[in-house]
Amino acid sequence: MADAKGKSALTVSERLAPLAHFPLMYGPTPFHEMTGLRQAIESLGHSSPRLFIKRDDCTGLAGGGNKTRKLEYLIGDALAQDCDTIVTAGALQSNHARQTAAAAAKAGLRCRLLLFDTVAYDGPLYRQSGNRLLDDILGAEVQVEPADADGAAVFDKVIADLTAEGAKPYIVPIGGSNAIGSLGYARAAEEISQQARAADVEVDWLVHASSSLGTQAGLLVGAGLSQGKTPKVLGINVYRSNAETMAEDLLTLAHQVASLLDGQPPRAEDVRLDNRFLGAGYGVPTDAMVDAVELVARTEGVLLDPVYSGKAAAGLIARICAGEFSADETIVFVHTGGMPGLFAYQDEFSRRT
Ligand SMILES: *Cc1c(COP(=O)(O)O)cnc(C)c1O
């Protein structure tokens, strides 16, 4: 049976039920209104839509964040394949690497992290604190590579060495963003739709930080398959300086996710990315990010992060102030986590206070 939107009667959870899954989350994560932030924006003379926040910084796994949801399906797949060692890669302060280390620990698997020193930022604590410290505490085997390393060659050698040792490696892609990982965000979209319904609100927009695109692909597909009004999904690009093929890559990934769920793929016009808030590059702080992190902390008591959610919130606030949303709309900001990164960027904040 299909309704007017062409949705069949199966829910996202029902579609996910047959797929391999390893529980890592203590969910559903909180969903609450941000009246303090809205008032602060209005006190500056702008009308603001109603603002809610989906607290995926509170997934409960070693500091939380959006990778937890993806890892439930990726670790599930690794266990189904009898793998014993998780291998993944990221930047030196990768939230993804930290959550992967925690997920592997919880699943009783070895974890090998390849961290590339690629970010053009050189704060005094960047190489030691934040996520990098937590990777060690979580027991991951960390290998740091210089910015100019041949990533594919390093990866191949690690896999070959592990295999020669008799290990059975499972590769988790950067950001956990293949179709399997993205399933976690289809599930998140359903969760948001249920929480919004319980709070008696209709959501017009989901806004979040986008980099490896799994969050956005999953949300797009999941929103389309969830009950009620389908929100528009807006990703604030915090990653790619050259974003030319980003929309196309997102659509391709969303098609793969839709196919795993046997659901409707999104259309090209459903893909919304905003490239105006990246600044000089991935992981490079912007003044608007620092302002947004401080404003949300001081009006909501919520800590964002310097690399992702801080820039996404800066984009959200700038768009509201520019009148790019209407005041009768409702926005859900998806807090994707990353708070440990604040400690790696300590100077950005302390220099201004
Ligand atoms: C990885 C990450 C994102 C981006 O999610 P993608 O699915 O890679 O686009 C956003 N916020 C935080 C804190 C992250 O760690």
Side-chain angles (χ1 to χ4, degrees):
M1 211 186 84
D3 69 14
K5 284 185 192 168
K7 295 174 180 179
S8 95
L10 282 186
T11 64
V12 175
S13 299
E14 286 164 343
R15 292 165 194 268
L16 285 168
L19 303 172
H21 174 261
F22 180 78
L24 293 167
M25 280 247 318
Y26 303 90
T29 58
F31 173 85
H32 62 83
E33 191 158 10
M34 295 196 286
T35 49
L37 178 61
R38 184 184 189 185
Q39 276 164 21
I41 293 170
E42 288 183 333
S43 74
L44 297 171
H46 308 284
S47 62
S48 172
R50 224 176 146 188
L51 300 174
F52 285 79
I53 185 166
K54 175 62 171 165
R55 298 290 304 276
D56 271 8
D57 57 320
C58 300
T59 56
L61 182 76
N66 64 338
K67 305 309 180 304
T68 307
R69 290 186 187 271
K70 301 176 181 184
L71 285 160
E72 290 200 329
Y73 292 94
L74 292 161
I75 298 286
D77 189 42
L79 293 171
Q81 293 183 34
D82 278 329
C83 294
D84 55 22
T85 305
I86 303 294
V87 183
T88 200
L92 211 63
Q93 281 294 336
S94 168
N95 298 302
H96 163 68
R98 179 247 313 159
Q99 286 167 90
T100 302
K106 185 163 159 105
L109 304 171
R110 228 177 120 184
C111 181
R112 196 69 198 267
L113 299 178
L114 309 179
L115 303 183
F116 292 85
D117 195 359
T118 48
V119 171
Y121 178 71
D122 214 12
L125 294 173
Y126 185 79
R127 285 180 177 73
Q128 298 142 40
S129 186
N131 287 298
R132 182 64 197 83
L133 167 67
L134 302 182
D135 296 338
D136 287 343
I137 292 174
L138 290 162
E141 299 161 41
V142 177
Q143 177 176 337
V144 176
E145 292 287 333
D148 61 357
D150 176 348
V154 171
F155 224 89
D156 287 350
K157 178 160 186 340
V158 166
I159 298 298
D161 289 351
L162 283 169
T163 308
E165 282 172 33
K168 200 165 173 220
Y170 181 89
I171 299 175
V172 168
I174 289 185
S177 283
N178 56 15
I180 291 177
S182 306
L183 293 171
Y185 269 85
R187 174 73 191 90
E190 179 183 61
E191 196 175 294
I192 293 167
S193 114
Q194 289 163 346
Q195 289 173 313
R197 208 160 346 114
D200 205 18
V201 294
E202 255 194 1
V203 180
D204 298 287
W205 294 89
L206 301 177
V207 178
H208 67 95
S210 213
S211 63
S212 67
L213 303 172
T215 303
Q216 193 163 359
L219 285 174
L220 258 177
V221 174
L225 291 170
S226 299
Q227 270 185 33
K229 182 172 181 172
T230 302
K232 301 189 249 307
V233 181
L234 171 65
I236 309 290
N237 170 22
V238 299
Y239 188 58
R240 289 200 205 179
S241 297
N242 178 356
E244 233 168 73
T245 64
M246 200 163 174
E248 196 180 308
D249 295 344
L250 173 54
L251 198 60
T252 303
L253 181 57
H255 273 253
Q256 294 164 358
V257 179
S259 136
L260 284 182
L261 291 173
D262 198 19
Q264 285 272 100
R267 302 159 304 169
E269 58 266 38
D270 298 327
V271 169
R272 294 178 172 85
L273 283 160
D274 191 329
N275 296 317
R276 294 173 291 173
F277 303 98
L278 172 66
Y282 172 69
V284 182
T286 62
D287 287 342
M289 175 280 288
V290 174
D291 290 342
V293 167
E294 291 178 351
L295 183 64
V296 174
R298 293 167 192 187
T299 55
E300 295 294 335
V302 170
L303 295 168
L304 302 176
D305 86 281
V307 177
Y308 299 91
S309 55
K311 284 183 180 174
L316 171 67
I317 293 164
R319 286 178 67 121
I320 294 171
C321 294
E324 294 181 31
F325 301 105
S326 83
D328 60 5
E329 288 186 307
T330 296
I331 298 176
V332 175
F333 179 73
V334 183
H335 187 340
T336 44
M339 193 273 267
L342 287 174
F343 299 102
Y345 286 81
Q346 179 167 318
D347 272 30
E348 293 311 301
F349 300 92
S350 53
R351 84 183 150 85
R352 304 188 2 151
T353 48

